[in-house]
């Protein structure tokens, strides 16, 4: 992305899809897409002439004609099941994708989230990330701990953005530190200023992204989006309705944030945990 002029008109030409989980155990939530559904969608898009864009491609100015049947494919959170169920399908089709990682949880379970499955889910390890990065897949920031940035103090926003970026650049190189997907798609003017100050060049919000370079729209693909062409790539009335439904579902995630905050407030301070561990030893 270095040296490329970022043109808002060009950036908003190609649609952006956002998946979370592909395959793995069933959940009570809506973010899981079955492996067979994902494989069918990607296969159908490939046969119809669609192609995926890298972040570099996405940032380059495109004419409307050149942008037809192209899209940016993204994954949020970086679950380990992607390496088993999603990335191999994409590699076989010649597709690529960008995964936005919660850097403090790489190689760990998703304790940052509420439990929607019987057992906690694992995130990609750095070894898996580096292996797929070497095969042409891309990775960027989803914050350090997946906290809703708009609810944080300035110092905490800065910490979330810069710590994540620093880790990504150290592990994967400078390109990995140039884009961010805001947790829960939540961003406002204050967050965009922090993102710009941290040196991010692209920022992705929710369905109602403003179209600014640091607040671009993405359409989530949820469990009910099972047609061969996801609603985020449709330009008809069904696509419009589907994006509205996806926006409403994303807004409902505010409940997760409320529960996260409540859990942090009731958790014992780190020194109490350390003291307890020492006493048990």
């Amino acid at each position: 992305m270095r040296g490329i002029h970022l043109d808002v008109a060009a950036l908003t030409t190609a649609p952006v899809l956002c998946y979370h989980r592909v395959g793995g155990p069933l959940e009570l939530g809506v973010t899981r897409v079955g492996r067979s559904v994902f494989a069918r969608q990607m296969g159908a898009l490939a046969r119809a002439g669609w192609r995926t864009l890298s972040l570099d491609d996405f940032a380059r100015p495109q004419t409307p004609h050149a942008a037809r049947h192209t899209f940016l494919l993204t994954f949020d959170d970086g679950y380990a099941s992607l390496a088993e169920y999603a990335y191999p399908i994409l590699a076989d089709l010649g597709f690529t994708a960008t995964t936005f990682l919660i850097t403090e949880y790489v190689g760990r379970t998703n304790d940052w989230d509420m439990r929607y499955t019987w057992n906690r889910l694992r995130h990609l390890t750095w070894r898996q990330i580096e292996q797929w990065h070497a095969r042409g897949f891309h990775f960027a920031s989803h914050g350090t701990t997946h906290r809703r940035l708009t609810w944080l103090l300035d110092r905490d926003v800065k910490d979330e953005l810069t710590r994540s970026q620093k880790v990504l650049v150290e592990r994967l190189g400078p390109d990995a530190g140039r884009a961010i997907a805001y947790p829960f798609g939540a961003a406002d003017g204050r967050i965009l200023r922090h993102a710009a100050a941290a040196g991010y060049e692209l920022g992705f919000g929710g369905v109602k992204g403003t179209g600014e370079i640091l607040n671009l729209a993405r359409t989530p693909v949820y469990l009910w989006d099972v047609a061969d062409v996801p609603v985020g790539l449709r330009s008809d009335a069904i696509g419009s309705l589907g994006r509205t439904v996806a926006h409403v579902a994303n807004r409902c995630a505010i409940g997760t944030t409320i529960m996260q905050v409540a859990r942090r407030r009731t958790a014992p301070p780190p020194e109490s945990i350390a003291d307890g561990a020492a006493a048990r030893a």
Side-chain angles (χ1 to χ4, degrees):
M1 224 180 295
R2 182 176 300 167
I4 296 173
H5 173 67
L6 300 181
D7 184 328
V8 175
L11 290 169
T12 55
T13 299
V16 186
L17 293 184
C18 170
Y19 289 82
H20 291 79
R21 291 185 56 215
V22 175
L26 298 176
E27 65 173 40
L28 296 176
V30 302
T31 61
R32 179 188 180 276
V33 174
R35 180 195 179 281
S36 61
V37 172
F38 182 76
R40 175 167 50 78
Q41 288 178 336
M42 295 300 109
L45 292 174
R47 290 191 297 274
W50 286 84
R51 65 181 181 88
T52 54
L53 299 171
S54 67
L55 283 175
D56 275 357
D57 294 332
F58 183 76
R60 291 190 178 98
Q62 304 173 69
T63 65
H65 177 74
R68 287 185 70 250
H69 283 188
T70 64
F71 67 104
L72 180 65
L73 176 60
T74 69
F75 296 100
D76 276 4
D77 306 329
Y79 284 111
S81 60
L82 295 176
E84 182 175 0
Y85 301 118
Y87 295 163
I89 291 170
L90 298 174
D92 287 345
L93 294 171
F95 280 7
T96 188
T98 298
T99 302
F100 293 98
L101 300 170
I102 312 167
T103 52
E104 193 166 293
Y105 286 88
V106 171
R108 297 171 55 187
T109 57
N110 66 332
D111 299 277
W112 60 269
D113 199 3
M114 305 312 296
R115 183 174 291 181
Y116 295 108
T117 55
W118 183 260
N119 295 313
R120 286 290 182 180
L121 302 168
R122 295 210 66 84
H123 287 281
L124 293 163
T125 65
W126 282 115
R127 182 178 181 182
Q128 290 172 311
I129 291 164
E130 289 162 354
Q131 287 173 340
W132 285 100
H133 184 252
R135 294 183 62 176
F137 284 70
H138 312 279
F139 298 88
S141 174
H142 200 37
T144 300
T145 64
H146 205 284
R147 288 187 287 173
R148 186 179 291 264
L149 300 178
T150 52
W151 288 23
L152 300 181
L153 298 174
D154 284 339
R155 66 171 182 269
D156 295 323
V157 174
K158 181 179 179 180
D159 181 66
E160 282 283 328
L161 296 178
T162 57
R163 275 206 295 143
S164 174
Q165 183 185 56
K166 182 175 184 292
V167 170
L168 287 163
V169 169
E170 288 176 349
R171 299 294 305 229
L172 303 174
D175 283 349
R178 294 199 172 98
I180 182 166
Y182 307 106
F184 305 104
D188 56 21
R190 181 175 68 99
I191 302 307
L192 302 192
R193 289 191 292 274
H194 276 290
Y200 289 101
E201 298 176 15
L202 293 172
F204 296 89
V207 178
K208 301 296 184 181
T210 62
E212 298 171 76
I213 289 173
L214 286 172
N215 193 11
L216 297 163
R218 291 190 301 165
T219 303
V221 181
Y222 291 133
L223 64 84
W224 55 77
D225 195 351
V226 296
D228 287 354
V229 179
V231 295
L233 301 184
R234 298 182 63 138
S235 58
D236 57 7
I238 293 176
S240 179
L241 175 62
R243 284 185 287 274
T244 299
V245 172
H247 172 66
V248 172
N250 182 252
R251 295 288 292 175
C252 291
I254 197 168
T256 298
T257 305
I258 292 170
M259 289 186 283
Q260 285 177 326
V261 171
R263 186 172 60 183
R264 288 192 179 96
R265 287 178 177 174
T266 58
E271 58 269 21
S272 297
I273 297 173
D275 291 344
R280 288 191 296 273

